[in-house]
Amino acid sequence: MKIQHHADDQQFTANDEKPVGFLNYTILPDRKTLDYHHTFVPPEFRGKHIAQDLVKFALDYAKENNYKVIPSCPFVKLFIDRHPEYKDLIKE
């Protein structure tokens, strides 16, 4: 599976010969914060850790590029709760 960042579309995608999931975000006006607001994996691809891989990739992207994150998506929030090494990315 290949995960890619599409900055122009404000989206991370997972592909395995065809699209199998995405995570959408919005860049806030401060240009230093990303609102991760929607993660989706079609039912036929669920249970394969695709959403987890997308969220980890997106959080690593934020960390590497000095962004803060607003985890509006419940799945992103749950992932951060389960992986405290990403808690420092949350915008206070």
Side-chain angles (χ1 to χ4, degrees):
M1 180 179 56
K2 183 176 183 181
I3 297 177
Q4 296 178 301
H5 179 220
H6 306 279
D8 291 342
D9 297 326
Q10 296 183 359
Q11 184 177 70
F12 298 93
T13 60
N15 297 289
D16 187 13
E17 296 183 25
K18 65 179 182 176
V20 295
F22 62 83
L23 188 157
N24 291 338
Y25 67 91
T26 302
I27 301 171
L28 296 188
D30 68 8
R31 308 297 292 168
K32 297 177 184 176
T33 307
L34 304 176
D35 180 357
Y36 290 159
H37 57 79
H38 186 69
T39 305
F40 179 76
V41 174
E44 64 268 24
F45 297 110
R46 292 180 187 165
K48 299 179 181 182
H49 305 285
I50 295 168
Q52 289 180 135
D53 293 345
L54 276 165
V55 172
K56 183 180 182 322
F57 186 95
L59 292 171
D60 288 341
Y61 171 83
K63 189 175 211 172
E64 291 165 9
N65 291 281
N66 298 311
Y67 285 108
K68 289 294 187 179
V69 171
I70 297 173
S72 295
C73 171
F75 189 83
V76 174
K77 172 132 179 36
L78 179 64
F79 184 93
I80 293 171
D81 289 345
R82 291 181 177 171
H83 298 88
E85 65 270 24
Y86 292 107
K87 286 190 186 266
D88 63 327
L89 292 177
I90 296 176
K91 174 125 174 130
E92 299 295 327

